[in-house]
Amino acid sequence: MRLVTRQGNCVFQSRLGGVRFSHGQQETDEEWDQRMTNFFQRKDLDGWDVRRGLQELFSIDGVPDPVTISAALHACRRVNDHSLAVRFMETLRYKCGNKVREIYPYLIQEVRPTLDQLGISTPEDLGYDKPELALQNAEDMHTY
């Protein structure tokens, strides 16, 4: 479940399990996914809007649907921001938490056609998944 509350000019959203702490408009997971997908499919988005939408995706307690991820990647490409798309993919890996070996390969499998179509690299393609200056042995740092 998703709870939307309004305080002043700000809208706050949070997912809830079974307990609702305040009154407000209720939005199901499917409705939220569709709303976010529709948001990223808008043709009038600029870089700021894309970042705002990605921030909302990051703020949820869970991993977005692959359809929403594909729409977000298309939005990143429309504003010509390859680095934002790569960082978005990196964040998805982080959001998988301790189930990264189960969830992340599934996400990559589902969005791989979109990544290939748009020419977007994954963090693994760029080597971001491995430390750049890692040493096999800590004693090696003093030898040249």
Side-chain angles (χ1 to χ4, degrees):
M1 292 299 270
R2 181 160 294 287
L3 175 68
V4 178
T5 59
R6 183 175 296 275
Q7 292 179 347
N9 292 335
C10 300
V11 176
F12 298 97
Q13 298 186 4
S14 62
R15 285 190 182 224
L16 297 176
V19 180
R20 291 173 180 77
F21 295 102
S22 65
H23 300 287
Q25 177 184 354
Q26 301 288 323
E27 188 176 40
T28 65
D29 290 340
E30 293 78 20
E31 291 172 338
W32 186 84
D33 288 335
Q34 187 60 46
R35 183 174 59 81
M36 291 306 297
T37 301
N38 291 342
F39 175 80
F40 285 118
Q41 289 175 345
R42 289 180 23 207
K43 302 297 183 200
D44 63 337
L45 294 180
D46 61 3
W48 188 89
D49 289 327
V50 173
R51 283 175 174 76
R52 183 174 55 104
L54 291 178
Q55 180 61 38
E56 189 169 343
L57 283 181
F58 300 154
S59 69
I60 64 168
D61 185 24
V63 180
D65 188 59
V67 174
T68 306
I69 295 169
S70 293
L73 291 171
H74 277 280
C76 289
R77 202 49 159 157
R78 265 195 313 277
V79 297
N80 199 23
D81 200 339
H82 182 266
S83 61
L84 182 61
V86 173
R87 290 297 179 192
F88 173 56
M89 295 302 297
E90 191 174 24
T91 304
L92 289 175
R93 181 180 177 95
Y94 177 74
K95 286 188 73 60
C96 293
N98 59 359
K99 303 273 188 188
V100 69
R101 288 193 170 95
E102 300 166 19
I103 298 173
Y104 190 68
Y106 167 75
L107 290 177
I108 293 296
Q109 170 191 330
E110 293 296 311
V111 300
R112 177 58 69 184
T114 303
L115 293 170
D116 293 341
Q117 173 193 6
L118 300 175
I120 296 174
S121 308
T122 64
E124 295 78 23
D125 295 341
L126 298 172
Y128 289 169
D129 58 330
K130 297 175 186 62
E132 185 177 352
L133 301 174
L135 300 173
Q136 295 295 329
N137 185 351
E139 298 297 324
D140 292 342
M141 79 171 88
H142 298 294
T143 60
Y144 295 99

